[in-house]
Amino acid sequence: MGRGRESRWEKDAMTVEIVFALVTAAVAAGVVFAVAWALALLLGLSGSAERGVTAGGALLGAAAGVWRPVRVLLRFDEQRRMGH
């Protein structure tokens, strides 16, 4: 393989990291939303309060779902550049 081109192993490692980032992002988003939903149920909220808590949970879940793959992939790129 020429200089500047990734080896097959490096491409496979990138694929694994991308899949790991996406799966953990989906799990993190689901857990955050589930906690907000459970909180609404446990507190016995109804009407607009329940909708507000679940909407907030959905927004926080979406933020966690975006943050997780960005963090994982930036860390992977940093380690790759250092040669690990």
Side-chain angles (χ1 to χ4, degrees):
M1 301 287 157
R3 187 163 173 78
R5 296 186 61 167
E6 292 101 8
S7 69
R8 184 70 193 153
W9 181 88
E10 290 170 325
K11 288 180 182 178
D12 288 346
M14 281 188 257
T15 301
V16 168
E17 285 297 318
I18 290 167
V19 170
F20 173 75
L22 293 174
V23 168
T24 57
V27 169
V31 166
V32 169
F33 178 74
V35 166
W37 185 55
L39 182 63
L41 288 176
L42 288 174
L43 294 176
L45 300 177
S46 63
S48 63
E50 180 183 16
R51 284 192 304 272
V53 170
T54 55
L59 287 173
L60 289 174
V66 170
W67 170 78
R68 181 65 182 156
V70 168
R71 181 173 172 250
V72 169
L73 295 176
L74 286 175
R75 186 178 56 205
F76 175 74
D77 185 55
E78 180 182 314
Q79 289 176 353
R80 184 182 62 84
R81 289 177 191 265
M82 290 176 32
H84 294 167

